[in-house]
Amino acid sequence: MKKRNETVHLLILDQSQNDAESMVSLLRNSGRATRAHRVTSREDLQEHLSDHLWDLFLAREQNAEFDARAALAEIKRLDKDIPFIVLTEDYDKEQIPELLKLGAQDAIPFEYKNHLVHAINRELKNLNERRLRRSADIHLYEAEKRCELLLDSSKDAIAYVNDGMHVYANQSYLDFFDYEDMDEMMCIPILDTLTKDSQEKYKELSRRVINNHEEAHYDAVARRSDDSELDVTINLSPATYDGEPCTQIIVRPQENDIELVSKLKEMSSQDLLTGLYNRQYLMEQLNHTVESVHKEQTEAAILYISVDQFQTIKSDIGIAGTDLVLSDLATLLSNSISEEKCVVARMGDESFAVLLTSSDDKAAMKVAEAVRSAVAEHLFEVSERTIQLTVSIGITLINESSPKPNDVMGRALKAASDVKKLEGHAKGNGINLFVVQQEINNSMTSVSILQKALDSNRFKTLFQPIISLRGEGEEHYEALLRMLDSNDEEVSPYDFLPPTGPSEIASKIDRWVTLQTIKSLSAHRSKGNQTRLFLNVTAETVVDPTFLQWLSVALKAARLPGDSLIFQMTENDAINHLKQAKAFTKAIKELHCKMSISRFGCSLDPFNTLKHVDADYVKLDGSFTEEIQQNEDTRKQIKEMIQQLQTMGKLTIVPLVENAAVLSTLWQAGVNYIQGYYLQAPASEMNYDFSEE
């Protein structure tokens, strides 16, 4: 299921209420749940800045006592991290740089709506990354403090060295070299703790650790403060201390089993069957590679190799035969890769990986093709039988914008899985380079996707119950639409609608849903159920003069009473098409259907909409449900909103109820109905047992 977008808390400075509402509508049409406040004065801004965390400030450049520049100055004075975008009257080459110098993130003409949407998305993304970074800094600081406590209590002698000088040493290290405290140790170069014969080796290994970001160890002779000498083993590894790169030193008295320890370490990194590195070792090296690429701005690549039809082969030749084939395949992989800087590992029963620590896309594709062709042409011998294999290879590049190592590996795995979707490779035997999918911005592409889904019957309706909190036994469901994408995964088709402007395909989708749900509801009610259905309609249907006549015919054909259907439009659509929404509601009620407003409460003046649109039901925006458990102000706001709606004779619905903790709060607030996964996830059948409520 698609993750819901977090609510954007928006401040608007605009003398026009209608223009301010249009900004809120623009954000919501672009797919962002939005809660807004229109700033009216400096005092009003100061009050709201102290009460809440805001995500965005849109300020119209107008002549006023408290204008955009004054608001921007106030934001900077209070040191608030709020992206600030000035909406100018026209494009002024001199004015825009001036506003940017004052601290605005952007200055865009008010009429440039598409430009504004892209700028908003960019600034919200940047804001989220800054917040994540600040949170990570806090966690890092806490983790470093915990690590320091662990180091202080460790029995191993551990120190951190930067530019040949001690910057930290734990108590065991001080005791080992017989120094009183860290202040004394900080004046001692690391070379002074080693005999002359051990110093050169240390210099060599230290340079290797710093330059190659790898661990090293060697046998040395340590010299203590009293000039006594002791045979030791020194382990060196790259580290950071107080944010600065340094070398971690662990000093242990020398033992006779160093060779055994080294052998055990080597064995722990190997796959016993094939002799290749194992998954754990490869993931460690991948982690180092990702870090190195980020720091040095280089490129690398990873290949995920999956044996095609593995289970069939395993059933045919047995486990013992399969082990022989995998062992031979491992040898073939090692021999067919000529790159020096690479790690070949076995990842699972039928999968291998190759980490190319220095490679671009062309080199990686060349290696992958060499491996693929070598495997396809090789004849494997098992008990005097000849077996032929093919492999599917997924490739992903590692660069400065790559995600975490696990996600990098996930990309390679997905690319390998997608080989079978390539033309001519239904059984595998191919290579595929992972490409990050871009958002679909082209409205024609979006419409063609939806039209194709309609033509090929790739839509399905689901039903989610809406339950009364007041004990009534009414049966209500909301009909929800899902589209099957190219991977047969369910997505909301409305996510593909163009963010601005009308779309004829939306009306077609609405009619398809209405017809399908009328058929389903008619069959369901024929079994004696008095069920009512909420049907969502888009703005395109609200303004469509032919829809109501079509609906009347559909109801008569299904012999379905009008009061069994409750049509639902969003608050945003009602505001943007207020006259048509009013007429649509009146006509719907003439067919004895009911009307509902959804996503209510996010506009600057939500109750103004209800003065024109005579809705029977009002469904609050889902963001209120998420915040009601965390914010006392939200609880008060919802209670006041519910009371005012009840005074107007409206039945209220709260969606996205996902746990029991919120139920008592909603009941006390006077909410009539609730909906959400806590009660039941959307299902293909109307099978909820309302008698249990």
Side-chain angles (χ1 to χ4, degrees):
M1 184 175 183
K2 185 173 180 177
K3 184 179 178 181
R4 295 189 299 272
N5 288 330
E6 292 186 3
T7 303
V8 176
H9 293 86
L10 170 67
L11 289 170
I12 300 179
L13 182 64
D14 196 318
Q15 291 178 297
S16 168
Q17 173 88 9
N18 290 336
D19 287 346
E21 288 283 10
S22 72
M23 290 298 99
V24 177
S25 297
L26 183 68
L27 261 73
R28 300 188 73 181
N29 285 340
S30 69
R32 293 190 178 275
T34 307
R35 300 261 289 280
H37 171 73
R38 187 164 73 96
V39 176
T40 57
S41 65
R42 185 185 303 275
E43 293 73 21
D44 180 43
L45 175 59
Q46 291 172 345
E47 178 185 347
H48 281 81
L49 286 176
S50 63
D51 288 346
H52 201 83
L53 181 67
W54 298 94
D55 305 313
L56 182 65
F57 201 131
L58 299 180
R60 192 84 174 268
E61 180 72 352
Q62 295 172 325
N63 292 325
E65 182 179 348
F66 185 66
D67 61 6
R69 294 167 189 256
L72 180 55
E74 191 66 19
I75 295 291
K76 296 302 175 185
R77 185 183 71 82
L78 296 173
D79 194 26
K80 296 289 185 179
D81 185 11
I82 305 174
F84 197 101
I85 298 177
V86 181
L87 305 176
T88 60
E89 292 306 310
D90 51 30
Y91 186 82
D92 189 326
K93 290 190 293 185
E94 296 181 359
Q95 181 191 33
I96 291 176
E98 181 184 347
L99 291 168
L100 297 180
K101 287 180 181 179
L102 291 174
Q105 272 65 43
D106 213 333
I108 301 170
F110 180 76
E111 299 300 326
Y112 290 17
K113 296 296 192 299
N114 288 335
H115 184 174
L116 179 59
V117 168
H118 287 295
I120 288 172
N121 289 336
R122 178 195 69 217
E123 293 306 324
L124 290 175
K125 179 182 177 182
N126 292 343
L127 175 66
N128 184 55
E129 290 177 351
R130 289 197 299 275
R131 287 175 174 171
L132 289 174
R133 187 171 64 249
R134 286 195 289 267
S135 176
D137 287 342
I138 293 171
H139 290 308
L140 177 61
Y141 173 77
E142 293 173 348
E144 286 178 340
K145 296 300 290 183
R146 289 195 296 270
C147 288
E148 194 166 319
L149 290 173
L150 290 172
L151 288 170
D152 288 340
S153 61
S154 174
K155 293 182 179 180
D156 283 328
I158 303 173
Y160 287 89
V161 175
N162 188 5
D163 290 334
M165 300 297 292
H166 291 90
V167 294
Y168 167 83
N170 68 355
Q171 191 60 48
S172 297
Y173 191 92
L174 297 174
D175 292 343
F176 186 87
F177 286 99
D178 196 24
Y179 285 94
E180 290 291 332
D181 53 37
M182 187 57 208
D183 291 338
E184 186 180 3
M185 194 81 237
M186 288 180 71
C187 301
I188 307 298
I190 181 66
L191 293 179
D192 286 359
T193 65
L194 302 171
T195 62
K196 187 174 182 179
D197 292 339
S198 301
Q199 290 177 2
E200 290 303 318
K201 185 66 173 178
Y202 173 84
K203 292 177 184 178
E204 177 190 340
L205 292 180
S206 178
R207 284 193 294 268
R208 188 195 305 172
V209 168
I210 294 171
N211 294 334
N212 299 338
H213 301 283
E214 63 182 26
E215 298 181 6
H217 70 268
Y218 81 110
D219 296 338
V221 179
R223 185 169 57 206
R224 307 176 73 206
S225 63
D226 60 1
D227 288 333
S228 61
E229 297 179 357
L230 184 66
D231 291 339
V232 296
T233 297
I234 298 180
N235 290 80
L236 298 87
S237 59
T240 59
Y241 189 80
D242 279 345
E244 296 293 329
C246 61
T247 303
Q248 183 190 68
I249 308 291
I250 302 179
V251 181
R252 295 187 178 97
Q254 201 171 103
E255 299 176 0
N256 295 324
D257 58 354
I258 293 296
E259 185 178 345
L260 176 60
V261 171
S262 177
K263 187 65 177 177
L264 289 173
K265 184 176 181 180
E266 180 182 345
M267 290 175 62
S268 70
S269 64
Q270 282 187 336
D271 176 66
L272 297 180
L273 174 65
T274 63
L276 299 176
Y277 289 113
N278 58 21
R279 179 188 180 90
Q280 179 182 349
Y281 180 82
L282 183 123
M283 292 306 296
E284 290 175 358
Q285 297 306 306
L286 177 59
N287 187 56
H288 293 323
T289 301
V290 171
E291 289 181 2
S292 176
V293 164
H294 284 175
K295 289 177 182 177
E296 301 174 12
Q297 302 293 298
T298 55
E299 285 187 314
I302 191 160
L303 281 55
Y304 190 95
I305 305 169
S306 179
V307 180
D308 300 322
Q309 313 296 322
F310 179 75
Q311 292 303 325
T312 302
I313 296 169
K314 187 175 180 179
S315 300
D316 185 28
I317 62 177
I319 295 176
T322 303
D323 286 348
L324 288 173
V325 169
L326 290 175
S327 181
D328 289 347
L329 177 58
T331 303
L332 180 63
L333 291 177
S334 298
N335 294 337
S336 60
I337 300 172
S338 59
E339 274 66 15
E340 294 181 0
K341 295 183 178 180
C342 73
V343 177
V344 185
R346 184 185 180 201
M347 302 298 290
D349 281 352
E350 75 275 27
S351 57
F352 300 81
V354 179
L355 175 61
L356 304 172
T357 57
S358 178
S359 176
D360 58 16
D361 57 337
K362 293 180 180 178
M365 295 284 281
K366 183 178 180 181
V367 171
E369 177 57 29
V371 170
R372 185 208 63 78
S373 60
V375 174
E377 295 169 5
H378 189 77
L379 301 178
F380 296 87
E381 295 291 332
V382 180
S383 301
E384 299 183 354
R385 290 184 56 188
T386 300
I387 303 294
Q388 285 190 280
L389 300 180
T390 60
V391 292
S392 296
I393 305 178
I395 309 160
T396 188
L397 302 180
I398 305 170
N399 52 37
E400 70 280 357
S401 61
S402 293
K404 296 177 181 178
N406 283 339
D407 294 330
V408 170
M409 183 60 74
R411 288 180 171 185
L413 173 58
K414 185 178 187 308
S417 301
D418 288 347
V419 166
K420 294 181 175 64
K421 298 177 183 177
L422 300 177
E423 187 176 352
H425 295 276
K427 293 184 179 181
N429 192 25
I431 62 176
N432 184 36
L433 178 66
F434 179 87
V435 178
V436 178
Q437 296 296 314
Q438 301 296 322
E439 293 182 2
I440 298 176
N441 294 318
N442 187 302
S443 62
M444 290 303 296
T445 302
S446 305
V447 170
S448 63
I449 290 173
L450 293 171
Q451 185 62 58
K452 185 177 180 180
L454 268 177
D455 295 341
S456 56
N457 199 30
R458 301 284 289 175
F459 285 130
K460 63 185 293 188
T461 50
L462 301 177
F463 305 95
Q464 188 173 38
I466 298 175
I467 311 301
S468 172
L469 272 183
R470 303 292 134 189
E472 294 91 346
E474 302 168 317
E475 294 186 11
H476 289 92
Y477 288 91
E478 180 175 0
L480 302 170
L481 181 63
R482 295 291 181 265
M483 182 177 78
L484 298 177
D485 65 12
S486 58
N487 298 322
D488 286 335
E489 294 181 0
E490 293 181 3
V491 296
S492 171
Y494 298 106
D495 293 338
F496 286 84
L497 290 176
T500 56
S503 173
E504 185 180 333
I505 194 67
S507 298
K508 293 182 180 179
I509 293 174
D510 283 349
R511 293 198 183 199
W512 187 92
V513 175
T514 301
L515 194 58
Q516 297 302 316
T517 51
I518 283 177
K519 291 178 181 177
S520 298
L521 182 59
S522 180
H524 189 67
R525 287 175 67 98
S526 67
K527 300 174 183 176
N529 301 295
Q530 296 302 307
T531 304
R532 291 183 171 87
L533 266 182
F534 283 77
L535 276 173
N536 293 289
V537 289
T538 61
E540 286 70 26
T541 292
V542 173
V543 302
D544 182 358
T546 66
F547 176 78
L548 294 167
Q549 184 178 358
W550 175 87
L551 175 63
S552 176
V553 173
L555 288 173
K556 289 177 182 177
R559 298 182 179 276
L560 195 67
D563 64 0
S564 63
L565 294 179
I566 304 159
F567 285 88
Q568 187 166 256
M569 72 176 79
T570 67
E571 177 189 70
N572 193 52
D573 285 343
I575 292 171
N576 290 339
H577 308 279
L578 197 55
K579 184 177 180 180
Q580 294 94 328
K582 181 178 181 179
F584 182 85
T585 303
K586 182 180 178 182
I588 279 292
K589 293 198 171 188
E590 289 176 357
L591 294 176
H592 306 291
C593 300
K594 301 290 185 180
M595 193 67 209
S596 174
I597 298 289
S598 66
R599 301 183 186 176
F600 182 82
C602 289
S603 66
L604 295 173
D605 186 7
F607 287 94
N608 180 63
T609 307
L610 296 178
K611 293 177 183 178
H612 302 275
V613 180
D614 185 20
D616 303 284
Y617 297 82
V618 173
K619 181 189 288 188
L620 272 60
D621 189 76
S623 61
F624 288 106
T625 316
E626 297 176 22
E627 294 181 20
I628 194 172
Q629 301 170 75
Q630 306 162 356
N631 192 310
E632 180 62 32
D633 291 338
T634 304
R635 283 194 283 272
K636 292 179 181 178
Q637 183 182 358
I638 286 183
K639 192 169 184 179
E640 292 171 359
M641 194 181 297
I642 296 297
Q643 290 174 348
Q644 189 169 348
L645 289 168
Q646 288 178 338
T647 302
M648 299 173 70
K650 312 299 181 186
L651 295 171
T652 54
I653 306 169
V654 171
L656 304 184
V657 175
E658 298 185 356
N659 58 68
V662 74
L663 293 181
S664 61
T665 303
L666 297 178
W667 187 85
Q668 291 171 10
V671 173
N672 297 102
Y673 298 93
I674 57 174
Q675 176 185 6
Y677 274 65
Y678 173 70
L679 303 166
Q680 189 184 77
S684 56
E685 302 290 337
M686 290 178 272
N687 55 10
Y688 185 80
D689 188 357
F690 287 87
S691 64
E692 293 183 358
E693 300 304 314

